[in-house]
Amino acid sequence: MRLVVALLLMLAGSAAWAIDCDRSDIDVDMRRLMGGAENLCQTYGGQVMLVVNVASQCGFTPQYEALEQTYRRFRERGFVVLGFPSGDFGDQEYDDEAQIAKFCKVNFGVSFPMFGKSAVKGDKANPLFRGLIARTGQAPGWNFNKYLIGRDGRVIRHFPSDVAPDSAELRTAIDAALVGAAAREVTGR
């Protein structure tokens, strides 16, 4: 299946978008919010990703607006935001996924992909976050923690919650990743 995905991407005209899922940090199956499972590498491989643990009732929740604006600003260049609702910090996320989806759409017009509510820290962390934490040494300290992933599916950098999605620091890092100039800041590569 991975070979088919790589061949399809190459036939679409961009061999640079074909990645080795086995060597990526995103070769995991995750369930979409109110939907089925998908393999992140097969679906988003070749794009620059901003993986964010989100919550609907947090002081950082207004970051949804900047996340959506950042997504819209860069998506035509191969960028996507992936939202992962979690109640790990102060139980600030709704239990009902329909309520999460409605809250995000009505209040912030969220159109970027959202995934099912899951843990993002500790022993119960979902497989994506377990891998990102292991690779960076940085676990989410609160809601709206961010990991920037390169086109090769490997994590570039961790950003804590207080780094706004529309900050110059994060915009510069996204832009660099989109043009392939991002320096790999994670050790062990």
Side-chain angles (χ1 to χ4, degrees), residues 25-26 40 47-54 63 67 70 79-84 86 88-89 119-122 125-151 153-165 170 173-174 177 182 184-186 189:
D25 296 326
I26 58 167
L40 297 184
Q47 296 182 62
V48 172
M49 292 160 265
L50 189 64
V51 172
V52 186
N53 63 295
V54 296
Q63 285 191 17
L67 285 169
T70 301
F79 172 77
V80 66
V81 172
L82 304 178
F84 290 84
S86 178
D88 284 356
F89 303 100
V120 297
K121 68 173 190 162
N126 71 51
L128 175 64
F129 276 77
R130 276 196 313 267
L132 295 174
I133 292 164
R135 180 64 71 193
T136 64
Q138 298 289 321
W142 200 254
N143 303 310
F144 291 87
N145 178 83
K146 302 154 197 79
Y147 295 95
L148 183 63
I149 312 293
R151 290 188 188 275
R154 294 165 58 184
V155 67
I156 295 170
R157 186 170 171 196
H158 165 264
F159 295 89
S161 305
D162 62 351
V163 175
L170 188 50
I174 291 168
R184 185 85 39 212
E185 294 190 20
V186 176
R189 295 269 187 209

Side-chain angles (χ1 to χ4, degrees), residues 6-117:
L7 289 173
L8 288 174
L9 289 170
M10 290 169 65
L11 290 174
S14 179
W17 284 57
I19 69 171
D20 183 350
C21 288
D22 291 333
R23 295 190 55 183
S24 77
D25 296 326
I26 58 167
D27 189 21
V28 295
D29 294 332
M30 299 297 299
R31 189 180 55 77
R32 289 289 294 263
L33 189 64
M34 299 177 46
E38 64 186 14
N39 181 278
L40 297 184
C41 186
Q42 292 173 7
T43 304
Y44 304 104
Q47 296 182 62
V48 172
M49 292 160 265
L50 189 64
V51 172
V52 186
N53 63 295
V54 296
S56 300
Q57 302 168 10
C58 176
F60 289 111
T61 299
Q63 285 191 17
Y64 266 126
E65 183 175 355
L67 285 169
E68 180 64 22
Q69 290 170 351
T70 301
Y71 171 58
R72 290 180 185 201
R73 177 180 183 178
F74 292 112
R75 73 179 169 195
E76 295 300 320
R77 293 176 57 198
F79 172 77
V80 66
V81 172
L82 304 178
F84 290 84
S86 178
D88 284 356
F89 303 100
D91 199 27
Q92 296 179 336
E93 186 57 270
Y94 298 114
D95 287 329
D96 183 271
E97 290 190 354
Q99 194 172 11
I100 295 169
K102 181 179 178 182
F103 176 87
C104 292
K105 187 68 172 170
V106 169
N107 293 296
F108 299 102
V110 169
S111 64
F112 56 82
M114 294 283 291
F115 291 83
K117 183 178 176 183

